[in-house]
Amino acid sequence: MKNFLLASTFAAATLLSGVTHAADYIIDREGVHAAINFKVQHLGYSWLTGRFNNFNGTFSYEKDKADAAQIKVVIQTASLDSNHSERDKHLKGDDFLDVGKYPTSTFTSTQYKVIDETSGTLTGEFTLHGVTKTISFPVEKIGEGDDPWGGYRAGFSGTTRLKLADYGIDYNLGPASTHVELELHIEGVRQ
Amino acid sequence: MLRNSDKSYGWISIIVHWLMAIVILFVFGLGLYMVELTYYDAWYKGSLELHKSLGMALFILLVFRMFWRVINSKPAELAGPKWQKISAGLMHRGLYFVMLLLLVSGYLISTADGAAIVVFDLFNAPALPWNVENQEDIAGEIHEVLSWLLVTMVTVHALAALKHHFINKDSGLTRILKVDTVD
């Protein structure tokens, strides 16, 4: 049902925006061939990693018209998981993400610049903790093609580095931990 | 002497009562204090470990206390209007109930990802084999609200004891301070 709604919304949005014949994909959340991970330095001695378990997204991409590629991802911030409940509670609380007040974080692309067949630079509006900023980061196309079950898939990876203070998150974790690296690994199923 | 009598509580009840009272007020203050500590405070980790250990110790004391309460008699009811007797009984039951829920909710925060609670480096209190989504957040909200509720109830309970002592001049307070053996 959720997927159907998502698909209908996407179809409607596509019709309204007048984009025709673009290959539209829904990020494979059902089979979980997608992950949004983060990592932050701990005291400057190691990496602390975690992820967001719940997010949805759609993208459109066509090999021959890659410049027209678009993506939108909505992350449910309360699904943060660093495998330690006390830390998760703290990170979801008002010292950090304040998920009660800001339940979602979104990324909507505005431009995709092709570098070559497997790489490009994605620019878009990223909203976190109620603050929206324009960010650009490199994206790698991993591959695309038929899957063994009658569908067609395409997958990408992208990594960006954010300064937490830019998004109004100013809890002092120490000088080595002012930035977070966000990794997006997605596989979309063509609709 | 050790067991409760018709006139007063026995030493076991008295000691457990006051021990829990002191520890509860201490962990309440500790809880308010530790959530304000920043990441680079030396006691950032230690304060939470102490809070959890004392919480688990309170749980053991509470279970023993409820068991002791069931196998013991109670001192005779104090004189007073009927509504007072009923509300005193409700308050005592309410205190047990809120203490239990408060301790369980705290336990559910720390064990939400399946990690055990280390109690004073002596033993581990294991997590339950199941948990619910966002358990640490839900249990955390409940824990905070119940902690304020308990301290409010404790205040009313203490004021009532003082009222019995100074206004009614009965044994409401003294029966939980020392054992009355005079027949």
Side-chain angles (χ1 to χ4, degrees):
Chain A
M1 189 61 195
K2 212 172 181 183
N3 252 9
F4 170 73
L5 279 178
L6 209 64
S8 337
T9 313
F10 195 83
T14 311
L15 285 175
L16 286 173
S17 65
V19 179
T20 47
H21 305 304
D24 297 326
Y25 293 81
I26 289 180
I27 292 175
D28 185 16
R29 276 280 304 139
E30 227 165 65
V32 199
H33 293 104
I36 297 177
N37 305 331
F38 62 86
K39 61 177 186 174
V40 187
Q41 287 241 339
H42 183 232
L43 305 171
Y45 306 151
S46 69
W47 287 106
L48 176 276
T49 70
R51 65 187 192 191
F52 291 95
N53 288 330
N54 188 2
F55 56 90
N56 284 298
T58 51
F59 63 88
S60 63
Y61 174 83
E62 239 175 311
K63 223 188 311 191
D64 307 331
K65 290 183 285 179
D67 271 322
Q70 289 180 344
I71 180 165
K72 182 177 167 79
V73 177
V74 179
I75 304 168
Q76 304 300 321
T77 51
S79 70
L80 179 146
D81 181 2
S82 71
N83 199 22
H84 179 33
S85 61
E86 288 158 3
R87 176 171 54 222
D88 291 350
K89 177 173 175 288
H90 195 193
L91 293 177
K92 288 186 265 179
D94 55 12
D95 276 340
F96 293 95
L97 294 184
D98 203 354
V99 303
K101 209 166 157 194
Y102 308 110
T104 59
S105 170
T106 57
F107 177 78
T108 310
S109 71
T110 52
Q111 194 192 30
Y112 182 67
K113 236 188 208 150
V114 176
I115 296 172
D116 58 34
E117 232 173 70
T118 57
S119 59
T121 304
L122 191 64
T123 303
E125 305 278 297
F126 181 58
T127 304
L128 178 69
H129 197 242
V131 179
T132 302
K133 292 210 167 279
T134 303
I135 58 171
S136 282
F137 56 92
V139 169
E140 189 192 352
K141 183 182 156 194
I142 309 298
E144 71 175 303
D146 293 326
D147 67 28
W149 317 288
Y152 190 90
R153 293 168 185 254
F156 299 84
S157 280
T159 303
T160 186
R161 188 165 177 266
L162 309 168
K163 187 180 181 187
L164 288 168
D166 286 347
Y167 295 87
I169 300 167
D170 51 12
Y171 188 89
N172 181 24
L173 288 169
S177 312
T178 54
H179 289 69
V180 60
E181 279 187 29
L182 214 50
E183 279 175 9
L184 188 75
H185 304 286
I186 54 164
E187 180 177 286
V189 181
R190 196 166 71 188
Q191 300 304 298
Chain B
M1 284 291 272
L2 288 181
R3 297 179 70 93
N4 300 342
S5 71
D6 198 37
K7 295 212 157 217
S8 83
Y9 289 99
W11 282 119
I12 300 278
S13 294
I14 291 174
I15 289 167
V16 173
H17 172 269
W18 288 105
L19 186 61
M20 286 185 73
I22 291 164
V23 176
I24 284 169
L25 291 178
F26 177 75
V27 291
F28 176 70
L30 180 63
L32 291 182
Y33 172 73
M34 71 183 189
V35 297
E36 299 302 327
L37 289 177
T38 65
Y39 205 62
Y40 276 73
D41 283 305
W43 213 33
Y44 179 86
K45 265 168 67 70
S47 58
L48 178 60
E49 278 159 20
L50 180 63
H51 186 89
K52 291 192 292 181
S53 292
L54 287 173
M56 295 312 295
L58 280 172
F59 181 76
I60 294 165
L61 280 171
L62 181 64
V63 170
F64 170 76
R65 187 171 171 183
M66 287 163 126
F67 163 75
W68 191 249
R69 169 73 196 79
V70 169
I71 62 160
N72 260 269
S73 64
K74 252 178 89 171
E77 273 188 330
L78 299 166
K82 189 158 190 192
W83 68 264
Q84 207 169 290
K85 289 177 183 172
I86 292 170
S87 48
L90 284 176
M91 177 59 101
H92 290 151
R93 283 193 184 86
L95 284 165
Y96 281 119
F97 187 62
V98 173
M99 280 191 287
L100 188 63
L101 289 185
L102 185 54
L103 291 165
V104 168
S105 63
Y107 163 85
L108 290 175
I109 299 172
S110 294
T111 57
D113 273 328
I117 293 179
V118 181
V119 185
F120 293 116
D121 281 331
L122 291 174
F123 64 95
N124 287 354
L128 295 173
W130 43 263
N131 53 47
V132 297
E133 191 146 332
N134 292 325
Q135 178 170 308
E136 64 274 20
D137 303 319
I138 301 162
E141 297 276 337
I142 294 171
H143 195 64
E144 188 178 6
V145 171
L146 287 182
S147 67
W148 283 102
L149 176 63
L150 182 63
V151 166
T152 307
M153 289 168 73
V154 166
T155 306
V156 174
H157 172 67
L159 288 173
L162 291 174
K163 179 226 169 228
H164 274 285
H165 188 71
F166 290 109
I167 296 171
N168 302 103
K169 298 190 191 303
D170 60 22
S171 65
L173 181 61
T174 53
R175 63 182 184 168
I176 192 72
L177 286 172
K178 60 178 169 54
V179 176
D180 190 347
T181 48
V182 184
D183 282 312

